[in-house]
Amino acid sequence: MGFVSDFKAFLMKGEIVNLATAVIVGGAFGKIVTSFTNDVLMPPIGLLLGKVDFKNLKIVLQDGTPAVLENGTEKVPAVAEVALNYGAFIQTVFDFVIIGFCIFMVLKAYEKTKKKEEAAPAAPAGPTQEELLTQIRDLLKK
């Protein structure tokens, strides 16, 4: 039972819950950025570059061949095309740059709030335990 309770305590730590939340939100944010890149950003860029669809940019190393059917049965299997899909790579790089920029902006805002917290004057410290005990002793002497 010790292992199960230790594992439960580990999962319930605040850092783990925060990390899980960050992974879920990050995944959703990644999908949003991918959609933004593929559906909003890249089409105008492709249009400016001469009606280029970046998804279709590739260097074919070996053409694919379709399957040959004879009497409903496959005689020669299909061979997949071998290609370097550099257009998909360009879109992935755009995704990375956009996500990196957004994370940079969030971290800059976080650093500003931290600096404001550090710059805020600390509340005046009350008397120490020794000072309080000294005052109580003095009052008791009177």
Side-chain angles (χ1 to χ4, degrees):
M1 194 69 176
F3 176 77
V4 173
S5 62
D6 288 346
F7 185 64
K8 181 179 176 184
F10 169 75
L11 288 179
M12 291 314 193
K13 285 184 179 176
E15 296 85 19
I16 298 299
V17 173
N18 290 343
L19 178 62
T21 303
V23 167
I24 292 167
V25 171
F29 181 71
K31 289 180 182 179
I32 290 169
V33 170
T34 299
S35 175
F36 175 74
T37 304
N38 293 342
D39 304 327
V40 176
L41 188 64
M42 296 309 279
I45 292 173
L47 186 63
L48 290 173
L49 295 176
K51 297 185 180 182
V52 175
D53 183 8
F54 278 86
K55 294 175 191 170
N56 296 330
L57 294 178
K58 61 185 174 183
I59 298 172
V60 177
L61 302 175
Q62 177 183 347
D63 287 328
T65 57
V68 176
L69 298 178
E70 191 172 287
N71 296 331
T73 60
E74 191 173 305
K75 184 175 181 179
V76 179
V79 176
E81 176 183 75
V82 178
L84 298 175
N85 297 313
Y86 66 92
F89 177 73
I90 291 171
Q91 285 189 324
T92 303
V93 170
F94 271 102
D95 286 352
F96 175 76
V97 169
I98 291 169
I99 291 172
F101 178 74
C102 291
I103 291 172
F104 173 75
M105 296 305 291
V106 167
L107 289 176
K108 289 299 262 184
Y110 177 74
E111 287 175 5
K112 282 184 180 181
T113 60
K114 281 300 205 185
K115 286 180 184 177
K116 286 180 182 177
E117 287 176 9
E118 291 172 2
T128 64
Q129 186 176 5
E130 290 81 15
E131 293 171 340
L132 289 173
L133 289 173
T134 304
Q135 290 174 5
I136 292 171
R137 183 197 66 201
D138 293 342
L139 288 172
L140 288 173
K141 280 184 183 179
K142 293 180 182 179

